[in-house]
């Protein structure tokens, strides 16, 4: 009886593990699904204005801006070789960007 009980418990744990991994994968796919120009605002859960643009504080110019954010976390004012812009994009992806 102990062997059967152990086998049933192991089977149920494996089944629960597979279901968990499937749910985790589906959640990750759902988070990356937006295929629009401003997908990053929704993907990174940024506050938006009435036009749907993300409301962020620009590190480079120290001002409030309403910008579109792509799926890679880059605002439309992003300049690839500027340290403040790189830091801003990293903060958006990490969820630590200053917003208003």
């Amino acid at each position: 009886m102990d062997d059967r009980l152990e086998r049933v418990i192991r089977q149920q744990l494996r089944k629960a593990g597979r279901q968990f991994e499937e749910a985790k994968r589906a959640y990750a796919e759902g988070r990356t699904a937006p295929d629009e120009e401003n997908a990053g605002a929704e993907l990174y859960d940024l506050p938006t204005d009435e036009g749907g643009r993300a409301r962020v504080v620009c590190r480079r110019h120290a001002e409030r801006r309403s910008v579109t954010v792509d799926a890679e976390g880059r605002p439309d004012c992003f300049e690839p070789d500027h340290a403040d812009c790189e830091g801003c994009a990293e903060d958006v992806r990490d969820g630590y960007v200053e917003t208003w």
Side-chain angles (χ1 to χ4, degrees), residues 10 15 30 33 38 44 63 68 79 86 94:
R10 284 180 193 250
K15 182 178 177 183
N38 196 26
Y44 298 106
E63 64 186 17
T68 58
E79 291 185 23
E86 292 287 341
D94 293 340

Side-chain angles (χ1 to χ4, degrees), residues 12-93:
Q12 292 302 315
L13 287 173
R14 283 190 203 112
K15 182 178 177 183
R18 284 191 297 269
Q19 288 175 339
F20 175 75
E21 289 301 320
E22 176 62 26
K24 194 164 75 169
R25 184 193 59 76
Y27 177 76
E29 285 179 2
R31 294 274 299 177
T32 59
D35 209 18
E36 56 193 54
E37 179 183 326
N38 196 26
E42 183 180 330
L43 182 65
Y44 298 106
D45 196 28
L46 299 172
T48 57
D49 64 4
E50 60 278 346
R53 295 178 308 237
R55 298 183 311 177
V56 299
V57 176
C58 176
R59 280 179 149 197
R60 184 174 184 182
H61 300 286
E63 64 186 17
R64 294 178 175 182
R65 292 188 175 186
S66 292
V67 295
T68 58
V69 178
D70 66 11
E72 294 174 9
R74 297 178 302 209
D76 59 0
C77 57
F78 178 80
E79 291 185 23
D81 294 326
H82 197 278
D84 287 336
C85 292
E86 292 287 341
C88 178
E90 288 176 16
D91 286 350
V92 168
R93 289 188 293 267

